[in-house]
C-alpha cells in the first residue's frame, strides 16, 4: 500500500515523490544590498540633527550674524572716512586705513618681537587677575556672611576703589622693586574691586529662607557655605570676573604705557612716539581682541560651572 500525504487545502491525496511543477516554490532572490538604505538613513539622521541644532542655537546664530554685520559696517565706515579724508570737526587726515593696518599686521605677525609684547601682556594679565580672584572671592564671601567683617573692611575698600589705576603708577613704582611687579600690582588692583563688590552683592541677594531651611535640617556652617551660599552667588561672581577682566586690561595698558618697557601697551605708545600710525591702530585692535577673548573664556567657563543658568 502506497503512503500518501495530504497537501493543505487539497481534498485528494497526492503521492509523495509525485510533486507537480507548479507546486515547487522557487527560491527567493537574495535581498538587495542595504548600502543605499543605510546611506539614506544616515543622511536623514544628519539632517534631523542639523535641524535640531539650528533650532536650539537660533538665538546665538542670530546674535553672531548681527555682530558680524556690525563689525563689517564699522570697517566699511572706517574705510570711507579714511579714503575721503573727512575733516568735519573730527579729523581723519592721519588715521590709517584698514588696508594699511592689515598690511602692517601681516608684517608684524612675522616679527617675533611683536609676539613677545603680546605674550608678556597676557602673562601679566593672568598673574594679576588670578591673584585678584584668589583674594577677592573668598573675602567677598566672608564679608557677605559675617557683618562684623563687612563693617570693618568695607569702608577701606570703598575709599580705595575710586582711585584710578593711573594714579597708582607712581605709588606702585615706590612700593615694588621692579617695573614688572608694579605692573602686575596695578593689574591686580584693577580687577580686585569689581570681583569683590559683585561677590559681596551676590551674598546679600541669597534667599535667607534657604539658609534657615538648611539650618533646620542640621547643616553646619561649612555645609551652608558649600551648598547654599556659593551656588547662589556664582552668577554674581562670574559677572564680577567678566567686569574685572575688562578693567584689568585697562589698568594693564595704562601701566605699560607709563612705566613699562615691553607689552602691547608699550608697543602702542612707542608707535605714537615714532609717528607710526598703523602700529597704533594695530595695537588698539590687538588689545580689543585679547580683551574679547579673555571675557569669552570666562563666560565659557561660567556655562560649564553653572549649567542651571544656561539659556
Amino acid at each position: 500500500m502506497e503512503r500518501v500525504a495530504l497537501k493543505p487545502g487539497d481534498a485528494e491525496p497526492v503521492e509523495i515523490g509525485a510533486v507537480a511543477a507548479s507546486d515547487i516554490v522557487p527560491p527567493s532572490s537574495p535581498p538587495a544590498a542595504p548600502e543605499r538604505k543605510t546611506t539614506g538613513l544616515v543622511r536623514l539622521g544628519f539632517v534631523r540633527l542639523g535641524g535640531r541644532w539650528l533650532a536650539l542655537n537660533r538665538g546665538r546664530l542670530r546674535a553672531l550674524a548681527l555682530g558680524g554685520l556690525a563689525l563689517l559696517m564699522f570697517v566699511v565706515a572706517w574705510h570711507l572716512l579714511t579714503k575721503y579724508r573727512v575733516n568735519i570737526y573730527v579729523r581723519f587726515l592721519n588715521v590709517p586705513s584698514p588696508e594699511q593696518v592689515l598690511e602692517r599686521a601681516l608684517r608684524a605677525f612675522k616679527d617675533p618681537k611683536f609676539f613677545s609684547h603680546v605674550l608678556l601682556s597676557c602673562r601679566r594679565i593672568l598673574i594679576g587677575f588670578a591673584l585678584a580672584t584668589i583674594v577677592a572671592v573668598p573675602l567677598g564671601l566672608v564679608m557677605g556672611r559675617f557683618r562684623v567683617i563687612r563693617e570693618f573692611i568695607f569702608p577701606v575698600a570703598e575709599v580705595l576703589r575710586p582711585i584710578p589705576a593711573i594714579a597708582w603708577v607712581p605709588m606702585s613704582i615706590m612700593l615694588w622693586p621692579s617695573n614688572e611687579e608694579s605692573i602686575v600690582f596695578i593689574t591686580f588692583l584693577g580687577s580686585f574691586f569689581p570681583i569683590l563688590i559683585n561677590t559681596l552683592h551676590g551674598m546679600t541677594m541669597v534667599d535667607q529662607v534657604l539658609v534657615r531651611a538648611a539650618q533646620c535640617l542640621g547643616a553646619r556652617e561649612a555645609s551652608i557655605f558649600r551648598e547654599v551660599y556659593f551656588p547662589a552667588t556664582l552668577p554674581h561672581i562670574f559677572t564680577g570676573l567678566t567686569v574685572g577682566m575688562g578693567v584689568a586690561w585697562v589698568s594693564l595698558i595704562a601701566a605699560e604705557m607709563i612705566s613699562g618697557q615691553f607689552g602691547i601697551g608699550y608697543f602702542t605708545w612707542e608707535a605714537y612716539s615714532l609717528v607710526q600710525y598703523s602700529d597704533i591702530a594695530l595695537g588698539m585692535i590687538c588689545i580689543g581682541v585679547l580683551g574679547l577673548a579673555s571675557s569669552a573664556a570666562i563666560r565659557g567657563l561660567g556655562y560649564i560651572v553653572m549649567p542651571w543658568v544656561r539659556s
Side-chain angles (χ1 to χ4, degrees):
M1 183 177 181
E2 297 181 355
R3 290 181 294 180
V4 297
L6 292 178
K7 293 174 59 179
D10 290 347
E12 297 182 1
V14 179
E15 295 183 3
I16 296 178
V19 182
S22 60
D23 296 331
I24 299 176
V25 179
S28 59
S29 59
E35 293 182 359
R36 295 182 178 178
K37 187 176 181 180
T38 304
T39 304
L41 290 175
V42 171
R43 291 179 179 175
L44 181 61
F46 276 116
V47 170
R48 290 180 177 178
L49 287 176
R52 182 174 179 82
W53 185 85
L54 289 174
L56 292 175
N57 297 274
R58 184 178 302 172
R60 296 179 182 177
L61 292 176
R62 182 178 63 250
L64 184 63
L66 290 176
L69 179 62
L71 289 175
L72 179 61
M73 293 176 61
F74 173 79
V75 173
V76 171
W78 177 15
H79 170 73
L80 295 176
L81 290 172
T82 54
K83 179 180 179 180
Y84 295 103
R85 302 297 178 183
V86 176
N87 187 14
I88 305 175
Y89 189 73
V90 179
R91 299 171 297 174
F92 289 89
L93 300 177
N94 296 322
V95 176
S97 64
E99 295 83 358
Q100 294 174 335
V101 177
L102 179 60
E103 180 183 357
R104 182 64 184 94
L106 295 177
R107 283 185 291 155
F109 291 159
K110 300 177 182 179
D111 186 5
K113 186 177 180 181
F114 176 78
F115 284 101
S116 66
H117 286 299
V118 175
L119 292 177
L120 186 56
S121 294
C122 292
R123 174 177 173 270
R124 290 166 174 168
I125 279 288
L126 288 176
I127 296 175
F129 184 78
L131 291 175
T133 303
I134 293 172
V135 177
V137 172
L139 183 60
L141 293 173
V142 173
M143 289 173 62
R145 179 58 177 153
F146 303 104
R147 179 179 298 179
V148 176
I149 299 177
R150 180 172 68 250
E151 293 175 349
F152 181 75
I153 298 178
F154 188 75
V156 179
E158 283 297 292
V159 171
L160 298 178
R161 185 170 63 90
I163 302 176
I166 298 177
W168 280 99
V169 172
M171 183 63 68
S172 63
I173 293 174
M174 293 186 291
L175 288 173
W176 300 97
S178 65
N179 285 344
E180 185 69 20
E181 294 173 349
S182 64
I183 292 175
V184 172
F185 172 71
I186 293 172
T187 306
F188 165 84
L189 288 177
S191 55
F192 174 78
F193 292 107
I195 298 174
L196 176 66
I197 297 301
N198 278 274
T199 303
L200 180 59
H201 177 69
M203 288 292 291
T204 59
M205 296 297 292
V206 175
D207 191 354
Q208 293 301 312
V209 175
L210 301 177
V211 178
R212 290 192 292 268
Q215 291 173 345
C216 292
L217 293 174
R220 297 183 179 180
E221 191 65 32
S223 299
I224 295 175
F225 255 100
R226 185 178 62 254
E227 303 295 338
V228 179
Y229 276 110
F230 191 65
T233 312
L234 268 179
H236 299 272
I237 292 175
F238 273 94
T239 300
L241 293 176
T242 305
V243 177
M245 177 59 75
V247 181
W249 275 107
V250 174
S251 305
L252 173 70
I253 299 306
E256 288 180 344
M257 284 184 173
I258 295 176
S259 64
Q261 296 179 350
F262 297 97
I264 192 65
Y266 175 78
F267 171 83
T268 306
W269 184 254
E270 184 184 34
Y272 172 75
S273 302
L274 299 177
V275 199
Q276 297 175 350
Y277 299 127
S278 298
D279 284 349
I280 297 174
L282 176 61
M284 294 173 63
I285 294 173
C286 185
I287 294 168
V289 171
L290 290 174
L292 176 64
S294 303
S295 300
I298 295 175
R299 292 191 184 96
L301 180 61
Y303 289 143
I304 297 173
V305 175
M306 302 178 298
W308 61 88
V309 297
R310 295 178 185 175
S311 56

